[in-house]
Amino acid sequence: MPFVRIDTLRAGPERLAALGRAVHDALEETIGIPPDDRFQVLTDHDGTCGTLRHDDYLGVHRDDGIAYIAITLRSGRTPAQKQALYRRIAELSHAYAGTEPRNVFVVLTENESADWSLGEGVAQYVESPRSRD
């Protein structure tokens, strides 16, 4: 159950959609997310009312083609799985959207099952008292 937020600068709707597809495909391939488990917020900033800031931190030269990708999901993945995910997101972002891997900035935040409600005011991943009986 990942929740994905992607922010770009003047990417346009096609590139933004391609980035969303790249991230979802990478999540499916590397950590086994189901195909219909897609929850994304895709935002393209115009540079006037909203913009993105970046520098060359750790020697990576970024430019206005940057895509900030924030993924929240339940904990439990190994460092190797996370590294595979980051690599695949960069590969597919380049293939689908033309985004250079140096401009793919990913942050992963993990939480627990009780931290999710998928609707109806219910924490679907939490075992209900009735299911224990």
Side-chain angles (χ1 to χ4, degrees), residues 9-86:
L9 182 61
R10 295 183 292 272
E14 293 83 18
R15 180 171 166 242
L16 193 56
L19 286 166
R21 193 171 69 251
V23 170
H24 190 73
D25 287 355
L27 286 163
E28 282 185 61
E29 291 176 23
T30 61
I31 61 173
I33 297 300
D36 65 343
D37 191 354
R38 183 188 317 246
F39 297 90
Q40 300 180 336
V41 176
L42 310 176
T43 306
D44 192 27
H45 302 269
D46 65 7
T48 303
C49 295
T51 194
L52 304 178
R53 300 281 187 239
H54 52 81
D55 285 316
D56 293 342
Y57 184 65
L58 295 178
V60 179
H61 176 68
R62 297 164 194 87
D63 59 32
D64 284 350
I66 195 163
Y68 286 116
I69 301 167
I71 303 170
T72 304
L73 72 166
R74 292 186 293 162
S75 62
R77 277 55 178 212
T78 66
Q81 287 175 306
K82 293 174 187 180
Q83 289 175 326
L85 174 63
Y86 303 145

Side-chain angles (χ1 to χ4, degrees), residues 6-7 9 12 25 27 30 55 62 90 92 102 112 119 121 126 131:
I6 301 174
D7 289 89
L9 182 61
D25 287 355
L27 286 163
T30 61
D55 285 316
R62 297 164 194 87
L92 293 177
R102 66 185 172 84
E112 300 304 320
V126 175
S131 66

